[in-house]
Amino acid sequence: MDKEALEQVSFDQTFEDYQVVRQTLKTITETWRSQPSLEQLAADVQLQPIQLQRVFSRWAGITPKQFLQAITLDHARSLLRDAASVLDTSYEVGLSGPSRLHDLFVTHEAMTPGDYRKRGEGLVIHFGFHPCPFGYVLLMATDKGLAGLAFADPGEEKTALEDMTRRWPAAAYEESLEKTAPYLDRVFNPDMWSPETPLRLVFIGTDFEVRVWQTLLKIPMGKATTYSDIAANIGKPSASRAVGTAVGKNPISFVVPCHRVLGRSGDMCGYHWGVTRKRAILGWEAGLSGAVLEMESQGQFSF
């Protein structure tokens, strides 16, 4: 079996695992006050407890209990420690160097305001749906780099595509799995996150939106910030609501980590692709970064 086939098998498995995780998260969200047991969660997805344990360990690198800890309010509040100062990190912008210092390294550029006002006219955007660790992912690429990343649950692909194409209605869209497939491994395989081979992004938005999206790139894995802190960081302290709108319009989800923006009290707030998916991404990152294991060892959880 060649490398491409092996990667497809891997992403197919994580896609299948996520369907179980998604249902389990839904149950946890609805019944968390009663602290459902592993046996109860497993029965809900028609698995044996040991099978559910294996799914979570394979998908996130942590157990269901540890995953539950990773999406509690206590853990969310821990992510917000130093929320303002985390945005003060200086880094090279533009194509001169990778922008993310801690995980998925990227370089980025923005289309000119004139190009944006054309609503995508003259732009060819290739798109394709692929299975990924968080359901189906819609990848959208131009000749300058990745321009769009959206998520969909099975049966929601058409809605996700319509949502994204409305952002640049005058662009020409061509379905091409061949053009988008290379980004799949580059985005979702942590082994591919390297400053030597940064991921190229192209931002298509207003000047204000682009400034907000660039600021999101400063938030490292294992940290979070708030809308008001982002507003202050870009010199618009009274623009928290406008920042929230720009965060919600982030066209390159996951890579530009809008999921790391929380309410001041640590609540999950909204997420364009669903709060359950936001919890899943934060829990997945907690397993990857080891943050939940560190907090567990320090006795910071009350379970």
Side-chain angles (χ1 to χ4, degrees), residues 199-217:
L199 175 64
R200 292 171 62 91
L201 307 181
V202 56
F203 288 138
I204 309 174
T206 67
D207 178 67
F208 180 82
E209 289 169 347
V210 170
R211 289 174 63 194
V212 170
W213 301 337
Q214 288 174 333
T215 304
L216 293 175
L217 286 171

Side-chain angles (χ1 to χ4, degrees), residues 3-206:
K3 181 176 183 294
E4 182 177 348
L6 285 171
E7 289 173 352
Q8 186 61 49
V9 169
S10 175
F11 283 121
D12 283 345
Q13 182 64 67
T14 59
F15 173 84
E16 292 176 7
D17 288 346
Y18 174 70
Q19 305 313 309
V20 175
V21 170
R22 181 168 66 97
Q23 180 57 44
T24 303
L25 280 179
K26 184 174 182 293
T27 301
I28 289 172
T29 300
E30 294 172 351
T31 64
W32 64 271
R33 288 183 177 83
S34 63
Q35 290 294 298
S37 67
L38 177 63
E39 288 73 19
Q40 290 171 314
L41 294 174
D44 188 61
V45 291
Q46 299 181 324
L47 293 176
Q48 294 298 317
I50 187 62
Q51 292 175 306
L52 183 61
Q53 189 102 347
R54 286 172 180 164
V55 167
F56 269 84
S57 297
R58 183 171 58 225
W59 183 79
I62 50 180
T63 67
K65 179 182 178 182
Q66 291 166 335
F67 194 92
L68 177 58
Q69 292 168 341
I71 60 173
T72 60
L73 188 59
D74 284 344
H75 185 249
R77 286 170 175 162
S78 76
L79 297 180
L80 284 173
R81 291 178 189 145
D82 306 316
S85 62
V86 75
L87 296 178
D88 293 333
T89 303
S90 61
Y91 63 92
E92 295 290 331
V93 297
L95 295 176
S96 56
S99 302
R100 192 84 66 83
L101 302 180
H102 300 274
D103 43 85
L104 207 169
F105 295 88
V106 303
T107 60
H108 59 280
E109 62 177 305
M111 297 189 70
T112 67
D115 286 335
Y116 175 70
R117 283 194 294 271
K118 294 178 182 177
R119 298 164 64 83
E121 183 180 353
L123 190 66
V124 176
I125 299 179
H126 301 281
F127 71 91
F129 282 93
H130 306 265
C132 82
F134 308 105
Y136 284 120
V137 62
L138 169 60
L139 296 170
M140 311 184 80
T142 72
D143 58 355
K144 293 184 177 181
L146 186 67
L149 189 156
F151 293 109
D153 292 319
E156 298 177 352
E157 298 91 337
K158 181 181 179 181
T159 300
L161 180 59
E162 290 175 347
D163 179 285
M164 293 297 287
T165 56
R166 278 197 300 268
R167 299 165 188 247
W168 316 297
Y173 293 92
E174 297 180 2
E175 185 171 11
S176 175
L177 297 180
E178 181 181 354
K179 296 280 189 180
T180 57
Y183 289 103
L184 182 67
D185 196 52
R186 183 62 186 80
V187 170
F188 295 107
N189 181 358
D191 292 338
M192 299 290 289
W193 298 356
S194 168
E196 285 74 35
T197 56
L199 175 64
R200 292 171 62 91
L201 307 181
V202 56
F203 288 138
I204 309 174
T206 67

Side-chain angles (χ1 to χ4, degrees), residues 167 208-209 212-213 227 239-250 272:
R167 299 165 188 247
F208 180 82
E209 289 169 347
V212 170
W213 301 337
Y227 299 110
S240 295
R241 182 167 296 183
V243 164
T245 299
V247 169
K249 292 174 66 177
N250 168 30
H272 193 76

